[in-house]
Amino acid sequence: MSSGSLIELLDAFEGAAMAAIESAGDAGALEAARIEFLGARQGRLRDLQGLLGQATKEEKPLVGRRFNEVKTRVGAALEARQRVLARPVRKVGGLDVTLPGSRDPQGRRHPLTQTILEFKEIMGRFGFSVADGPEVEDEWHNFEALNIPADHPARDPLENFYLAAAQVAARDGSSSPPRLLRSQTSTVQIRVMESSPPPIRIISVGRVYRPDTIDATHSCMFHQMEGLLIAAGTTMAQLKTVLRLFARAYLGQDVSIRFRPSFFPFTEPSVEVDMSWGSRWLEIGGAGMVDPNVLRAVGYDPDQVTGFAFGLGIERFCMRRYSIPDIRYFTGNDLRFLSQF
Ligand code: PHE
């Protein structure tokens, strides 16, 4: 065989080997190409090696050099391709999975919602179930049945959010009685007692509305947890114990609870409840023994049953637990605040 055709064979071999290596899509295909072209026993390069002996003495250096060159190049291409195929997969469906990810912001429950859920859980352990009532109320449930007569200053329109009479009339017909956003969750006491006989052991959690001047500890909308227990022989001592145990369950053993004599139309005797906050006391709500007039208003016999009730401000508990300095954070919708809970 002439050296010219030997060189041609080597050229053809190189071209075919390079194409096969380049198009090998995985390690298996590459190994098949290696065996076909460079295999020590039956590879095509080995066959060409067998032909080298046919070259003349003068041709041998040229053909030998080309043979070595082809062998080295194809070997190098094979190794390079092996390295590429051994790399971890980067693209999945056009997506480079090795790029650093971008985290989707994760939502979480509002701190007040978390507090409310925990309140319900704690009170549930004391045997209180959860009752609900509407936020738009009539005067019977917000005042009358709670022993708050028509001339009581708490009923002043300037102290409450009454619905505009014209709007109510347009919606319900002009004879409809006044409605207001409830100013206290005590409304739910009445609704529960009206619809079920004693004994009763409920809490009710929700929003209340008062036209207060807004500052760090006051808002015109806040949340209360109302508690009501009606049974024969209920005592003030039980009320105090429940409130103390509740506060400790939520805030820890070091919280002190203080009761100050006070007045509410719907409880007698009545107390205001304070909790310790550092060296100070912070008012957290009111409580007392359910007034006989209230029991009568819902059709109970005050000689047969007694009960206690309490209403606590939820924001203040949450503020104390997390050292939140301003009640306005709860409604500010600032993620820098909300994402801390
Ligand atoms: N309803 C009272 C308030 O909003 C709190 C309270 C509830 C007091 C139950 C006594 C009994 O301030």
Side-chain angles (χ1 to χ4, degrees), residues 137-327:
E137 265 295 4
D138 51 43
E139 293 185 299
W140 168 257
H141 291 97
N142 201 81
F143 300 124
E144 213 77 49
L146 286 163
N147 200 30
I148 307 174
D151 59 356
H152 194 280
R155 290 178 67 158
D156 190 324
L158 294 176
E159 298 291 325
N160 295 282
F161 286 114
Y162 273 90
L163 270 60
Q167 287 171 12
V168 175
R171 206 188 54 208
D172 296 354
S174 51
S175 63
S176 76
R179 304 266 187 90
L180 70 159
L181 297 178
R182 67 180 178 192
S183 61
Q184 50 188 354
T185 44
S186 300
T187 53
V188 185
Q189 288 184 38
I190 302 302
R191 291 187 172 275
V192 171
M193 288 190 284
E194 279 175 337
S195 62
S196 36
I200 285 170
R201 210 193 299 194
I202 58 103
I203 55 160
S204 185
V205 185
R207 296 190 182 99
V208 298
Y209 302 84
R210 294 176 194 179
D212 277 343
T213 306
I214 297 171
D215 62 22
T217 50
H218 296 87
S219 170
C220 53
M221 183 281 291
F222 61 98
H223 295 74
Q224 283 189 328
M225 177 170 76
E226 193 80 12
L228 174 70
L229 187 148
I230 303 280
T234 309
T235 68
M236 192 87 181
Q238 292 168 351
L239 165 63
K240 290 177 153 188
T241 302
V242 165
L243 288 179
R244 200 165 264 135
L245 288 174
F246 167 75
R248 294 212 173 132
Y250 181 71
L251 293 170
Q253 291 303 315
D254 62 326
V255 68
S256 297
I257 293 290
R258 173 174 91 167
F259 301 88
R260 281 180 291 116
S262 186
F263 174 81
F264 296 103
F266 34 92
T267 47
E268 181 60 33
S270 303
V271 289
E272 246 156 344
V273 190
D274 299 337
M275 70 178 165
S276 59
W277 190 336
S279 56
R280 294 186 304 136
W281 292 96
L282 190 70
E283 190 193 320
I284 49 169
M289 303 306 291
V290 179
D291 193 287
N293 284 342
V294 173
L295 297 173
R296 255 178 237 116
V298 298
Y300 286 4
D301 180 356
D303 292 329
Q304 298 297 315
V305 287
T306 52
F308 66 68
F310 58 85
L312 306 175
I314 294 180
E315 277 81 351
R316 291 192 173 177
F317 277 87
C318 187
M319 289 168 80
R320 187 190 188 278
R321 167 123 148 211
Y322 297 108
S323 298
I324 297 167
D326 195 314
I327 197 169

